[in-house]
Amino acid sequence: MMSRSEYLSARERMLTRIAQTRDAARSGLPHWASTVDGTWTFTPDGDWTGGAFVGELWLAHLADPRRFSIEDAHAALSRMLPRAERLTAFKGFGFYHAGALGSILFADETARAAAMTAARSLRDMFDPRLGLIPLGGDAEEASAVGASESSIDSLQAIGLLYWAADELADARMEEVANAHMRRVLEIHVRPDNSVIQSSTLDPHTGKVLRTHTHKGYSDISTWGRAQGWAMLYTAHAAMVRPKEPLWRDYAVRVLGWWIDHVPADLIAYWDFDDPAIPNTSRDTAATAIAAASALRLASALGPEEGAKYRVFAERTVTQLLKYLTPTVPEDRRPPGILTGGCFTRKAIVRDIDAAENVELIFGSYFLFECLAILTGLLPSGRI
């Protein structure tokens, strides 16, 4: 494992990359970038991923307020605002990191207002017949799935809902968060603690009609990022709702599965069941999510019980930093790029997501978040 000074050096490289991205992102928000020259593919409103960049800007302001202003985060957040009331469960990810984070760290009212708008919209999307928040007609996968679809990805609503429930003392928000969390986990966590990504439900009864892996190798495979979302949000729930043992139990189980199945070098393949392993894509983004999940679970469990998860997170970050572009004259790539991200290798995918061995903005966010914690910039358990 690395020393604090080595983590600090990596954090500085990532700050350099965040500054470069900020200066390039004048009208849109970053989605993924070439690892050859660092050029970003942008979306006008952030798609489901853009909140990760705003989250980077909040953490960057914490690290270096002279180089990164509050206005930087506000400018990026403003591009996301049209998404706040769209019918997509995925906006929970964007507005937690873009909005709630600014409120938590800096009591920023602009960020809080945006996050609250999105949280109330998510609460109102809850479908009692399904027992959960469906993906929604505006979800990025809406063209490929039906109106009564769910996925483990929809746990992205949880962080925002729990935060808003606490801020507003909103019992309905809490009730929706708990029901959604429980139902999504019941459907998508298999008996062996691996995760199936997606499900089709009967719109009238909520009965599960089929499960499948929408973005992974096959309908029955374990896509790396599906396991990642399960780990992240169960660990987050265990951290913010310590009196609910069910979330802690799920977090230990799904992270335990990852630890038992990840390759020896700790960098996951894009899908754990791709028969081409080891001659297939890695996914540093899913791996960064795993590290962030382990840090959350370590915080939830406390110093003694959580120690092994803290160690696992540190070991994983150490391996991820081998994929971070260096600051050396002979390497002409911009420093601080997290290479090795894989959106998906699935043949049927949105054109904008057809990207392998790239920098994924959410992968970079989670690695930067880990470095913020490991260097003491951000107390463990704060976000």
Side-chain angles (χ1 to χ4, degrees), residues 86-92 118-128 130-136 147-151 153-158 161 172-173 175-181 183-184 188 201:
R86 288 185 189 159
L87 299 180
T88 167
F90 302 147
K91 68 187 173 189
R120 290 187 177 102
S121 176
L122 279 171
R123 177 196 61 197
D124 296 344
M125 283 177 63
F126 183 81
D127 187 333
L130 305 180
L132 48 73
I133 299 168
L135 296 188
S148 299
E149 291 284 317
S150 181
S151 75
D153 311 46
S154 73
L155 287 185
Q156 292 176 357
I158 290 300
L161 289 173
R172 177 58 179 163
M173 195 86 72
E175 179 184 320
V176 166
N178 288 334
H180 178 68
M181 182 89 168
R183 181 71 171 138
V184 170
H188 300 96
L201 309 180

Side-chain angles (χ1 to χ4, degrees), residues 42-352:
F42 294 102
T43 61
D45 63 359
D47 204 80
W48 73 266
T49 59
F53 177 60
V54 189
E56 282 192 326
L57 289 171
W58 289 121
L59 292 179
H61 177 67
L62 190 66
D64 191 344
R66 292 185 179 181
R67 197 177 2 166
F68 301 93
S69 69
I70 290 285
E71 288 70 30
D72 290 334
H74 283 174
L77 172 59
S78 69
R79 297 166 205 152
M80 290 179 54
L81 294 181
R83 295 181 56 79
E85 295 185 90
R86 288 185 189 159
L87 299 180
T88 167
F90 302 147
K91 68 187 173 189
F93 173 84
F95 284 94
Y96 179 78
H97 296 288
L101 210 60
S103 179
I104 293 166
L105 296 177
F106 304 108
D108 188 89
E109 286 300 323
T110 299
R112 185 181 190 276
M116 283 298 176
T117 299
R120 290 187 177 102
S121 176
L122 279 171
R123 177 196 61 197
D124 296 344
M125 283 177 63
F126 183 81
D127 187 333
R129 296 168 302 176
L130 305 180
L132 48 73
I133 299 168
L135 296 188
D138 295 326
E140 282 65 35
E141 296 170 3
S143 62
V145 299
S148 299
E149 291 284 317
S150 181
S151 75
I152 199 70
D153 311 46
S154 73
L155 287 185
Q156 292 176 357
I158 290 300
L160 188 63
L161 289 173
Y162 278 138
W163 168 80
D166 288 342
E167 288 285 301
L168 300 173
D170 186 326
R172 177 58 179 163
M173 195 86 72
E174 183 82 14
E175 179 184 320
V176 166
N178 288 334
H180 178 68
M181 182 89 168
R182 186 175 295 108
R183 181 71 171 138
V184 170
L185 292 172
E186 285 174 354
I187 294 171
H188 300 96
V189 178
R190 294 179 282 213
D192 70 349
N193 300 319
S194 66
V195 172
I196 190 84
Q197 185 195 1
S198 301
S199 59
T200 302
L201 309 180
D202 184 301
H204 305 292
T205 67
K207 179 181 177 181
V208 179
L209 300 179
R210 75 168 182 133
T211 58
H212 59 108
T213 293
H214 183 68
K215 290 184 179 175
Y217 173 75
S218 74
D219 274 357
I220 61 171
S221 66
T222 301
W223 178 48
R225 209 149 68 241
Q227 195 76 23
W229 296 134
M231 294 188 297
L232 184 73
Y233 291 107
T234 54
H236 187 90
M239 186 176 71
V240 300
R241 292 295 181 269
K243 294 183 180 179
E244 176 48 79
L246 183 60
W247 308 150
R248 187 167 60 249
D249 176 63
Y250 265 114
V252 168
R253 286 164 49 194
V254 294
L255 187 52
W257 188 93
W258 179 283
I259 292 170
D260 289 344
H261 291 82
V262 75
D265 66 3
L266 303 184
I267 306 299
Y269 291 99
W270 78 287
D271 190 299
F272 283 85
D273 296 305
D274 186 342
I277 291 172
N279 300 312
T280 192
S281 299
R282 301 284 189 139
D283 187 12
T284 55
T287 305
I289 292 169
S293 305
L295 287 173
R296 281 166 168 76
L297 186 54
S299 176
L301 296 177
E304 187 173 336
E305 195 177 351
K308 67 179 182 179
Y309 298 106
R310 171 83 179 207
V311 169
F312 177 75
E314 291 180 13
R315 290 176 56 224
T316 301
V317 168
T318 296
Q319 293 298 108
L320 279 168
L321 293 184
K322 297 177 182 179
Y323 287 77
L324 199 68
T325 53
T327 308
V328 293
E330 58 269 25
D331 193 328
R332 296 188 177 183
R333 296 173 297 175
I337 294 175
L338 179 59
T339 64
C342 179
F343 245 119
T344 178
R345 291 177 61 95
K346 196 88 168 193
I348 301 174
V349 67
R350 296 186 305 165
D351 289 343
I352 198 170

Side-chain angles (χ1 to χ4, degrees), residues 16-17 20-21 24 32-42 325 331-339 356-359:
T16 299
R17 176 60 171 164
Q20 182 190 57
T21 303
W32 60 267
S34 164
T35 54
V36 175
D37 60 10
T39 301
W40 283 101
T41 291
F42 294 102
T325 53
D331 193 328
R332 296 188 177 183
R333 296 173 297 175
I337 294 175
L338 179 59
T339 64
E356 302 169 32
N357 191 24
V358 295
E359 178 182 12

